[in-house]
Amino acid sequence: MIRLCFPSSPGAIIPPRPRRHRHNTATPFPSIPPRSRSLHQHRLTPLLASSRGDRRQRVGGPDMVLFTVTKKATTPFEGQKPGTSGLRKKVSLPRSRSPIHVPLALRSGSLCDVLGRVASSGALDPPPALASRISLGACFRAGIGGSVTVFQQPNYLHNFVQATFNALPAEQVKGATIVVSGDGRYFSKDAVQIITKMAAANGVRRVWVGQHSLMSTPAVSCVIRDRVGADGSKATGAFILTASHNPGGPTEDFGIKYNMGNGGPAPESVTDKIFSNTTTISEYFIAEDLPDVDISVVGVTSFSGPEGPFDVDVFDSSVDYIKLMKSIFDFEAIKKLLTSPKFTFCYDALHGVAGAYAKRIFVEELGADESSLLNCVPKEDFGGGHPDPNLTYAKELVERMGLGKSTSNVDPPEFGAAADGDADRNMILGKRFFVTPSDSVAIIAANAVQSIPYFSSGLKGVARSMPTSAALDVVAKNLNLKFFEVPTGWKFFGNLMDAGMCSICGEESFGTGSDHIREKDGIWAVLAWLSILAFKNKDNLGGDKLVSVEDIVRQHWATYGRHYYTRYDYENVDAGAAKELMANLVTMQSSLSDVNKLIKEIRSDVSDVVAADEFEYKDPVDGSVSKHQGIRYLFGDGSRLVFRLSGTGSVGATIRVYIEQYEKDPSKIGRESQDALAPLVDVALKLSKMQEYTGRSAPTVIT
């Protein structure tokens, strides 16, 4: 356990060493109200100074603010398990302080990556009862998630934070620098103060906080990897406060995860230690008398405690992130496109943290009109919406791009995009055209070398998650690139990138990224697409018609073939029945001749299965093996069926069925997705005996 040296009596107070106090402040983000200062800060006398781009003030006083460290008794909470899968359970909070079973879940919401081109029939309706779901799993690769009311229980957050400090090597805590920020959802500001006080008590030297506690997950990764403090300090890790694409507010979702010194999610070896610590924790350390730091203003606040000086550095995280983006993309080329009268653009942040970066990047740096930004003021409750970038929840953008139910005489923009709550996911749209996430990563990879300066010397390799369509595989084969198929979880991509084996990667759940950081990056994906459009139109901005998003996608299909794709989710299925269904699918793989005979009885127009397995991944970097990652049936024409069991909680399990039809005949790549997929859908449901095992005649969600 990482701890300070305490007297034997519980809750003992350790006298501090006096130090002097200084505090620099600057103007907060516009449109975000500043937080009121603490009593300690109001007592100080301001001395104004200036710096580039904002007003700064140095605040000093005759005495340094001192803090002491207290050891607090606590008891474990059940279910504080960070990891790649999580559990799906209902929230049930007792009136007493007794330990509870904390509900955890996999991602919720509809991920509409199936339609290819969406006609005017409109967006899908959201699945019922989303507000009651608790989210973890895919959106918290190294953290815990749940409702705000769960996190507001006495000691709940404290336990997880202390368990994390105890799981880390001493040199990553004592005297270290850590980042604490997130997507700004409800309870974030309170959580920042709690974690800061616990960091001080555990011997951390300094905490870096994004102004207003706002820092996108990609920006956190960037800050860990690239930012250097004025004293030469570098961050060793970060607590990220986010529930990703799930709703925010007093009765909605909250979450926390820890990222390591490479900028990526904590590996399983660390998350296992964290969880083990949460099951036995009996005490945590906190500097209760450390005053709250005003996180609405940029500057450094210094304190002194038993271990010596402790600083809280509040800074504008957009500076480091924009610097990184400008080192990757040709901003001048993109600016020429965005300022062309022929090109129109629309970006929807869904009131998530991406809004803190959108104006700075798209308007101030790239010259887009400010009216092109939608919902770009970050809000604690995401404006009452669901910050999930898909055709269901990005309704305003969908309507503006001509994909909604209503008709309009207004010509839609040429390009549209949306982000989720913490800005690591993205949705790409053209005029009346939707780009699937699987196609998006494949198209970026196919055009990266010629369109994006960062990749001008070539790609090291590409990778996708196993459930994602094989569109990227075909690109890799044609371009002679190293290709990796990994389990769901961004940490697998991170391993490849750290080893210099992968440049671009993506997953079907709207996540795309590259080796510039160790998280998926929604704004990066948007800039990548704008770069491709800028390259395709570099000699055409004065012409009659621009090369459009739809043109690029259709040309890609003509070159590489089209992967029609859909996902069926059967939620809250009886766990026992779900396991029996999966076991039967594995058993059937022992005789592919029998499988093909059955398939022909179902649909004679479906290709034969040529291989089938239960996906297992051996990491080429560290040799670790991940088993039972999904059941695959691979067809001779390049089509696939994938079955995954995503949760086995007390409420039930979720069965996900991924259905992919590959078509390389140019005359057949323009079909409606549902028509092209109908034969394989029929085979998937009857081969798995879905209704027989689950009692369900239809999936909960189709995406």
Side-chain angles (χ1 to χ4, degrees):
M1 176 176 288
I2 302 167
R3 65 175 70 187
L4 302 178
C5 182
F6 290 91
S8 58
S9 58
I13 304 299
I14 300 176
R17 292 187 310 214
R19 295 272 299 190
R20 294 187 59 81
H21 179 270
R22 63 181 173 82
H23 182 203
N24 300 329
T25 61
T27 307
F29 278 120
S31 76
I32 304 176
R35 187 183 176 109
S36 61
R37 296 179 182 174
S38 69
L39 177 61
H40 294 269
Q41 292 162 330
H42 276 300
R43 290 174 178 165
L44 303 175
T45 304
L47 176 64
L48 295 179
S50 64
S51 67
R52 186 191 69 82
D54 55 25
R55 297 192 312 274
R56 296 184 67 86
Q57 60 179 347
R58 179 178 293 264
V59 181
D63 297 307
M64 169 72 71
V65 175
L66 311 175
F67 67 86
T68 54
V69 176
T70 305
K71 178 169 62 176
K72 305 280 286 187
T74 188
T75 54
F77 289 84
E78 184 182 352
Q80 288 192 312
K81 181 175 177 58
T84 59
S85 57
L87 301 172
R88 184 185 297 267
K89 298 181 182 179
K90 296 290 184 183
V91 178
S92 179
L93 292 179
R95 295 175 183 266
S96 70
R97 166 61 184 86
S98 302
I100 65 165
H101 192 82
V102 181
L104 305 173
L106 290 169
R107 62 185 182 272
S108 62
S110 175
L111 301 173
C112 307
D113 61 346
V114 58
L115 301 179
R117 183 174 184 177
V118 180
S120 59
S121 57
L124 303 175
D125 293 327
L130 272 177
S132 66
R133 295 183 187 173
I134 303 303
S135 298
L136 177 71
C139 53
F140 303 118
R141 295 302 174 197
I144 58 172
S147 72
V148 170
T149 52
V150 172
F151 277 88
Q152 288 176 322
Q153 295 175 98
N155 296 350
Y156 185 86
L157 176 62
H158 303 69
N159 278 19
F160 183 80
V161 172
Q162 188 64 57
T164 302
F165 282 136
N166 294 349
L168 297 171
E171 65 272 13
Q172 294 181 24
V173 180
K174 295 285 188 179
T177 299
I178 65 168
V179 182
V180 182
S181 285
D183 60 18
R185 66 181 55 236
Y186 185 85
F187 190 61
S188 291
K189 292 177 181 178
D190 296 304
V192 165
Q193 302 295 346
I194 291 169
I195 297 170
T196 297
K197 294 175 183 182
M198 292 188 67
N202 278 272
V204 170
R205 173 61 180 83
R206 61 188 64 78
V207 171
W208 291 348
V209 181
Q211 189 178 17
H212 301 291
S213 76
L214 295 175
M215 200 181 304
S216 72
T217 295
V220 171
S221 186
C222 164
V223 164
I224 293 172
R225 294 171 62 83
D226 296 341
R227 187 174 194 252
V228 179
D231 56 359
S233 55
K234 289 273 294 178
T236 60
F239 285 100
I240 306 179
L241 309 174
T242 178
S244 190
H245 55 296
N246 295 288
T251 61
E252 299 292 355
D253 295 345
F254 186 80
I256 181 172
K257 71 173 186 175
Y258 194 80
N259 277 30
M260 305 297 287
N262 71 341
E268 200 166 306
S269 59
V270 174
T271 58
D272 284 347
K273 289 180 182 178
I274 294 172
F275 176 57
S276 177
N277 290 342
T278 66
T279 65
T280 59
I281 191 167
S282 61
E283 61 191 23
Y284 64 84
F285 306 126
I286 188 167
E288 291 183 305
D289 56 353
L290 188 78
D292 284 359
V293 174
D294 187 348
I295 59 175
S296 70
V297 290
V298 170
V300 178
T301 307
S302 294
F303 305 94
S304 185
E307 301 266 326
F310 173 71
D311 293 338
V312 180
D313 183 354
V314 179
F315 68 104
D316 177 356
S317 68
S318 67
V319 174
D320 298 284
Y321 184 75
I322 292 172
K323 180 181 178 182
L324 178 60
M325 293 299 103
K326 293 178 80 169
S327 73
I328 296 171
F329 301 103
D330 184 345
F331 269 41
E332 285 303 313
I334 298 174
K335 187 173 184 177
K336 287 179 182 178
L337 177 72
L338 287 181
T339 55
S340 168
K342 293 183 177 295
F343 188 83
T344 44
F345 165 80
C346 188
Y347 183 79
D348 189 350
L350 295 175
H351 288 301
V353 72
Y357 303 83
K359 183 178 179 181
R360 295 283 297 276
I361 293 175
F362 298 120
V363 177
E364 296 177 13
E365 293 284 347
L366 296 173
D369 194 285
E370 194 165 351
S371 63
S372 63
L373 304 183
L374 292 177
N375 306 313
C376 281
V377 177
K379 296 184 178 181
E380 290 186 333
D381 65 349
F382 305 108
H386 193 116
D388 197 351
N390 58 49
L391 298 172
T392 298
Y393 296 115
K395 294 178 181 178
E396 189 175 352
L397 176 66
V398 167
E399 290 289 336
R400 186 175 290 199
M401 296 303 297
L403 294 171
K405 296 178 181 179
S406 62
T407 57
S408 172
N409 294 325
V410 178
D411 195 36
E414 291 292 328
F415 180 84
D420 69 337
D422 66 331
D424 64 348
R425 296 174 189 238
N426 72 94
M427 177 173 69
I428 302 297
L429 302 174
K431 182 184 295 186
R432 302 185 184 91
F433 193 88
F434 170 70
V435 184
T436 72
S438 296
D439 278 343
S440 180
V441 66
I443 290 168
I444 291 172
N447 292 275
V449 173
Q450 60 185 359
S451 303
I452 303 172
Y454 181 80
F455 300 115
S456 60
S457 61
L459 301 181
K460 302 166 187 173
V462 295
R464 64 165 173 83
S465 65
M466 187 273 284
T468 302
S469 93
L472 186 61
D473 312 33
V474 181
V475 171
K477 182 178 180 180
N478 277 264
L479 299 183
N480 196 29
L481 297 172
K482 291 180 182 178
F483 169 77
F484 303 92
E485 181 180 25
V486 306
T488 299
W490 210 259
K491 66 180 182 181
F492 297 104
F493 296 134
N495 270 8
L496 295 171
M497 291 173 178
D498 284 345
M501 301 168 70
C502 177
S503 296
I504 292 174
C505 57
E507 57 189 16
E508 50 85 25
S509 53
F510 292 84
T512 322
S514 88
D515 61 352
H516 66 292
I517 57 172
R518 295 299 180 267
E519 289 277 6
K520 46 186 173 279
D521 190 344
I523 290 179
W524 175 91
V526 174
L527 292 172
W529 266 93
L530 290 173
S531 296
I532 294 169
L533 285 163
F535 179 80
K536 298 288 187 182
N537 288 287
K538 64 180 180 179
D539 300 321
N540 195 39
L541 292 178
D544 294 333
K545 183 180 181 299
L546 296 178
V547 176
S548 69
V549 170
E550 182 175 354
D551 292 336
I552 291 170
V553 174
R554 291 193 178 279
Q555 181 57 51
H556 183 88
W557 291 341
T559 303
Y560 298 102
R562 181 177 179 181
H563 294 257
Y564 294 96
Y565 186 84
T566 189
R567 190 180 88 189
Y568 280 29
D569 290 0
Y570 294 81
E571 299 178 350
N572 297 332
V573 172
D574 177 79
K579 290 178 181 177
E580 289 180 12
L581 180 149
M582 299 294 282
N584 183 59
L585 285 169
V586 172
T587 300
M588 291 173 63
Q589 292 179 343
S590 61
S591 176
L592 293 188
S593 59
D594 289 343
V595 168
N596 285 320
K597 181 179 179 181
L598 179 58
I599 287 175
K600 293 303 180 186
E601 292 174 357
I602 300 171
R603 293 292 299 238
S604 60
D605 53 348
V606 171
S607 178
D608 283 346
V609 173
V610 294
D613 62 12
E614 189 170 11
F615 183 60
E616 180 176 299
Y617 177 71
K618 183 176 182 179
D619 195 305
V621 179
D622 60 21
S624 62
V625 177
S626 300
K627 299 182 178 182
H628 310 298
Q629 296 297 311
I631 297 166
R632 303 186 301 176
Y633 284 84
L634 311 178
F635 294 79
D637 62 355
S639 300
R640 298 190 311 160
L641 292 179
V642 175
F643 301 83
R644 292 182 65 236
L645 193 58
S646 295
T648 53
S650 61
V651 174
T654 295
I655 301 171
R656 302 194 195 279
V657 186
Y658 305 83
I659 303 160
E660 176 183 353
Q661 176 67 54
Y662 179 55
E663 182 57 71
K664 56 184 178 181
D665 183 344
S667 67
K668 297 180 180 180
I669 60 175
R671 302 172 65 193
E672 290 295 324
S673 293
Q674 52 267 46
D675 295 337
L677 289 165
L680 266 184
V681 169
D682 199 17
V683 168
L685 301 185
K686 291 178 180 177
L687 185 69
S688 64
K689 300 181 180 179
M690 185 65 68
Q691 186 168 359
E692 179 179 329
Y693 279 106
T694 68
R696 306 286 182 86
S697 58
T700 312
V701 180
I702 299 177
T703 59

